[in-house]
Amino acid sequence: MSVTLTSQVVPFIDLPAQFRAFQPEINEAFAAIFANTSFISGAAVKEFEADFAKYCQAGHCVSLHNGTVALHLALLALGIGPGDEVITSANTFIATAEAISFAGAKPVFVDCDPITYTIDVQQIEKAITPATKAIIPVHLYGQPADMDAIMAIAKKHNLKVVEDACQAHGAIYKGKRVGSIGDIGCFSFYPGKNLGAAGDGGGLVTNNAQWAEHIKLLRDHGSKQKYVHEIVGHNFRLDTLQAAVLKIKLPHLESWNQARQAHAEYYTKHLKDVPGIVVPTVASDRNSVFHLYVIQVPDREAVMAALAKNNIQCGIHYPVPLHLTKAYENLNYKAGAFPVSEKAAKHILSLPMFAELTEEQQDRVIAAVKSAIK
Ligand SMILES: *Cc1c(COP(=O)(O)O)cnc(C)c1O
């Protein structure tokens, strides 16, 4: 390999590479929106919602300002509020729990499964109390949680299920798209997600028309018609410009996810036999869209130093399980409460992962990781 190549940065994610291909199409769409200044609730918003609902095999899609708001409004629409408890995974991005808090409810954490890193379904029932109203399984790193088990528990205890699919656009569990399995499925279109806008974006899908209508009211000042306010709402709309970007990118999501899966296979082939490395495992009844490719290594400091020395970026998702964050210290969880999440947090490492990743870049990552393992 040439010397210049190894000195180039292997980015964690290469957004410029993704946008370059669409710049002319995006420019054209933007020009049309600027021409009629339909920045708010323009045609692209409804068009993208229809396309995304269809893609997710769901009856309705409501676009929103971001994924956190999607989770928040999903809970409000399901009637969850003060005095209620909502169960979710300790091993997730904080937004999942924040949405519960901002709905006025209390997050109740459960440990993750050591193989899939998604919520440990064996431990959900122990966390249920008379105040429990819902479960938010997170399809973490792109792999669906064990939805059959979760839906069965929900049915038995009369709980709602909100899927946090913010990392799993297009992932499939037993033939079904994530987001369409629970009561409501929430997505983020943050730029770095598998389907990302050119700024903040989010949305949710559901098969329930009433919830969808209620959430549309909540996102737009409680009104369907300007200055006719049926309820007290908020301003959580998706911009027309972002909807236009998402509409252009959505038809490519499937091939990007396939590229991510191929890259994951390549990493796994070359790392699975390295002593001490734990490669990702995808359960046989689902796929993963590999939003992140997360390995475990015995000495993370050493591997991160080797990556840095070779100009390779990486990440940790997430360094502190939510029950041990300062933000949630008022919930009074102790260290040791969720041993699987706590142990994983010390050893997990996310390697560069994006559709445009090249084999040369992957070879450099693999070589650098191996060089740090004794
Ligand atoms: C990104 C993300 C969110 C929040 O999405 P935003 O669009 O950033 O608000 C929620 N949950 C998970 C698991 C995420 O990865």
Side-chain angles (χ1 to χ4, degrees):
M1 221 40 45
S2 74
V3 183
T4 47
L5 254 182
T6 51
S7 65
Q8 274 168 12
V9 173
V10 179
F12 186 63
I13 171 174
D14 192 349
L15 283 180
Q18 187 174 76
F19 272 102
R20 258 192 307 272
F22 298 100
Q23 205 59 64
E25 233 179 307
I26 290 171
N27 289 350
E28 204 176 303
F30 276 22
I33 294 164
F34 274 87
N36 63 15
T37 61
S38 59
F39 300 121
I40 304 294
S41 308
V45 174
K46 274 208 174 96
E47 289 164 10
F48 171 68
E49 286 175 341
D51 292 353
F52 195 67
K54 190 164 169 230
Y55 177 80
C56 293
Q57 305 169 343
H60 311 272
C61 167
V62 183
S63 62
L64 295 161
H65 191 64
N66 57 56
T68 310
V69 153
L71 290 160
H72 179 185
L73 295 194
L75 293 171
L76 294 186
L78 296 173
I80 288 152
D84 298 336
E85 292 178 2
V86 178
I87 291 172
T88 194
S89 184
N91 179 30
T92 177
F93 180 54
I94 193 165
T96 319
E98 286 172 323
I100 299 168
S101 302
F102 274 95
K106 179 181 159 191
V108 173
F109 299 122
V110 166
D111 209 351
C112 70
D113 175 89
I115 306 296
T116 63
Y117 302 106
T118 56
I119 193 165
D120 184 346
V121 294
Q122 305 301 327
Q123 300 198 39
I124 293 176
E125 283 196 287
K126 279 190 282 181
I128 294 174
T129 74
T132 309
K133 290 287 152 54
I135 307 170
I136 308 186
V138 183
H139 306 314
L140 200 71
Y141 309 152
Q143 174 162 202
D146 186 357
M147 288 306 294
D148 275 2
I150 292 162
M151 296 309 287
I153 293 166
K155 193 167 174 208
K156 182 171 153 199
H157 297 273
N158 194 24
L159 307 175
K160 294 287 194 280
V161 175
V162 174
E163 293 175 69
D164 183 340
C166 289
Q167 298 188 0
H169 320 64
I172 290 171
Y173 176 87
K174 296 191 181 172
K176 289 183 198 150
R177 289 271 193 218
V178 298
S180 67
I181 304 165
D183 293 297
I184 299 179
C186 299
F187 293 86
S188 165
F189 304 122
Y190 178 82
K193 300 294 165 93
N194 289 36
L195 178 64
D200 275 312
L204 53 79
V205 298
T206 180
N207 288 313
N208 185 305
Q210 272 165 323
W211 293 334
E213 281 311 303
H214 188 65
I215 292 160
K216 282 181 189 169
L217 289 177
L218 287 171
R219 83 169 164 190
D220 196 3
H221 304 293
S223 67
K224 272 186 249 173
Q225 218 183 315
K226 210 163 191 175
Y227 307 128
V228 181
H229 307 287
E230 298 173 33
I231 60 171
V232 176
H234 229 299
N235 176 0
F236 285 151
R237 299 173 302 238
L238 179 71
D239 283 350
T240 310
L241 292 170
Q242 300 305 343
V245 170
L246 292 166
K247 188 169 127 64
I248 288 166
K249 290 177 78 178
L250 178 59
H252 304 274
L253 176 58
E254 210 55 17
S255 68
W256 286 331
N257 282 345
Q258 281 164 13
R260 285 171 180 271
Q261 286 159 349
H263 301 329
E265 219 171 284
Y266 190 80
Y267 272 141
T268 295
K269 184 172 125 197
H270 292 277
L271 293 174
K272 71 177 192 319
D273 296 325
V274 180
I277 292 191
V278 181
V279 294
T281 303
V282 182
S284 60
D285 54 5
R286 59 202 94 156
N287 74 2
S288 171
V289 291
F290 284 98
H291 173 59
L292 296 168
Y293 184 87
V294 177
I295 60 173
Q296 286 193 52
V297 291
D299 182 353
R300 186 167 61 194
E301 292 292 304
V303 176
M304 288 179 77
L307 291 170
K309 202 176 117 209
N310 288 282
N311 289 320
I312 298 164
Q313 298 177 349
C314 62
I316 299 172
H317 301 88
Y318 295 91
V320 181
L322 294 186
H323 67 291
L324 300 180
T325 57
K326 183 158 187 294
Y328 280 115
E329 69 187 6
N330 63 324
L331 295 177
N332 286 317
Y333 286 101
K334 300 281 175 280
F338 303 120
V340 178
S341 298
E342 290 170 36
K343 182 159 175 263
K346 293 195 176 79
H347 295 282
I348 46 175
L349 184 67
S350 309
L351 301 181
M353 173 53 83
F354 47 93
E356 299 78 8
L357 192 64
T358 67
E359 199 167 297
E360 272 162 5
Q361 289 174 318
Q362 287 201 275
D363 286 341
R364 277 181 54 197
V365 177
I366 292 160
V369 170
K370 281 182 169 171
S371 76
I373 308 267
K374 283 166 207 91

